[in-house]
Amino acid sequence: MQAVGCATLIEMSASMPAQKEKQPTAIVWFRKDLRLADNPALCAAIASGAAVLPVYILEPEESLQWPMGGASMWWLHHSLTQLQVSLAERGSRLVLRKGTAKEVLFALANEVNLQHVFWNRQYEPECIARDKQIKTALQECGIAAESFNGSLLFEPWEIRTGEGNPYKVFTPYSRACFAAAPPAKPQPDVKVVPSPKSWPQSLPLDSLELLPKMDWADGLQETWMPGEIGAWKHLRVFRPKKLSGYPEHRDYPAEVGTSRLSPHLHFGEISARQVWHELQGQPEAAPY
């Protein structure tokens, strides 16, 4: 497949008929942060003053080191459905594309007057390498690219030993975290997302083929509610009813003694900051 970069973008633009000046646009590249509240990338895009284009890119399995399993794909479909609804309630929509992230972002840059791309960081080595490459390529084309901490209480480089090295044992690391300044307060839910005057083409969600071809997901459907609202429902049950008994009941699989937030945190439907502040008795930070 042809490499996509600044030179390719210029060639593509030159081959198109002259158009009126397009509206300045900022992309929010959603990844594992499928929520609107406490989403630093989304807040930065809104603050930029540009029209905000929310984008989710499904990358081909062959480009990923750890492809999703069937249950994760099922969850992603329903989480994206909820995100679409939430954006629509705020006057926006979610643009869905499929392909490698760099190629899709540069294709969108050719369709809109792209000035900024914002995303929340991922910390797997392959993601770090990919994001650095994309950020450099965008900046070489005069497109600003910024990333944020949208998932962690503390980023890896913030908590270090006295010698400045990463911790290798959990207990001293946890003590250092508790001794550090409290995590920043979550950013509030957004009420309006400034929309572009015209929208680039989006794939239908069903065309991503995330749902199983044979319907084996009834149990998942009965047990889980993917999305931001479902995450908050679990947290709101856990805090008053199960938190105090967690040290004992977590060891009994037949009991619902844990928060059940793991899949919601994995897909970024709720942030670690939101959970931390909610459990500290600061529910004013909650969007639901």
Side-chain angles (χ1 to χ4, degrees):
M1 185 173 291
Q2 183 182 12
V4 177
C6 192
T8 304
L9 178 62
I10 294 171
E11 291 174 5
M12 293 167 64
S13 299
S15 66
M16 296 181 65
Q19 301 180 15
K20 294 181 180 179
E21 183 66 23
K22 296 178 182 177
Q23 184 182 19
T25 303
I27 283 178
V28 180
W29 177 18
F30 281 92
R31 288 119 59 98
K32 290 184 178 177
D33 51 356
L34 303 179
R35 65 182 186 274
L36 300 187
D38 195 35
N39 190 317
L42 177 60
C43 290
I46 294 172
S48 74
V52 176
L53 187 64
V55 174
Y56 182 85
I57 303 167
L58 182 67
E59 299 207 62
E61 286 192 359
E62 58 268 21
S63 70
L64 303 175
Q65 187 171 349
W66 296 290
M68 287 185 292
S72 291
M73 293 169 67
W74 174 90
W75 190 288
L76 176 60
H77 176 95
H78 291 288
S79 188
L80 290 172
T81 298
Q82 178 59 58
L83 184 60
Q84 287 178 320
V85 171
S86 297
L87 284 167
E89 291 172 348
R90 291 155 179 82
S92 185
R93 63 180 73 169
L94 182 64
V95 173
L96 298 172
R97 293 286 177 97
K98 190 172 183 178
T100 61
K102 184 178 178 182
E103 291 173 342
V104 171
L105 290 172
F106 272 94
L108 286 167
N110 191 56
E111 298 173 38
V112 301
N113 180 12
L114 184 59
Q115 296 192 345
H116 298 85
V117 180
F118 299 98
W119 65 78
N120 294 312
R121 287 188 278 274
Q122 294 179 284
Y123 299 90
E124 297 87 348
E126 65 166 356
C127 295
I128 292 173
R130 175 200 61 192
D131 291 354
K132 285 182 177 179
Q133 183 186 52
I134 290 174
K135 182 178 285 190
T136 298
L138 289 168
Q139 291 172 342
E140 287 176 350
C141 292
I143 300 170
E146 296 183 58
S147 60
F148 303 86
N149 173 18
S151 58
L152 304 180
L153 295 179
F154 303 101
E155 297 199 85
W157 51 86
E158 293 180 329
I159 304 296
R160 296 279 175 157
T161 67
E163 292 76 30
N165 299 317
Y167 281 93
K168 298 180 179 179
V169 180
F170 176 74
T171 298
Y173 171 76
S174 66
R175 290 173 182 158
C177 289
F178 282 113
K185 287 187 176 182
Q187 295 172 315
D189 190 10
V190 299
K191 303 303 180 184
V192 177
V193 179
S195 297
K197 295 175 183 176
S198 60
W199 289 87
Q201 185 178 5
S202 174
L203 294 173
L205 178 55
D206 286 343
S207 73
L208 301 184
E209 298 183 325
L210 296 169
L211 294 177
K213 291 182 171 60
M214 296 180 61
D215 190 7
W216 48 258
D218 286 349
L220 289 174
Q221 192 78 46
E222 293 171 3
T223 307
W224 297 98
M225 180 183 177
E228 194 169 7
I229 295 174
W232 278 96
K233 285 186 175 180
H234 277 310
L235 181 56
R236 286 289 168 75
V237 170
F238 177 68
R239 184 186 170 214
K241 296 182 179 180
K242 300 174 184 175
L243 179 60
S244 61
Y246 173 76
E248 175 186 355
H249 295 295
R250 67 178 180 178
D251 294 327
Y252 296 90
E255 298 183 18
V256 183
T258 64
S259 70
R260 306 183 79 183
L261 286 173
S262 292
H264 296 291
L265 286 164
H266 174 78
F267 284 96
E269 299 162 349
I270 194 169
S271 73
R273 280 192 298 258
Q274 289 173 311
V275 175
W276 193 92
H277 283 279
E278 179 74 9
L279 297 183
Q280 298 303 309
Q282 300 178 25
E284 69 276 3
Y288 298 103

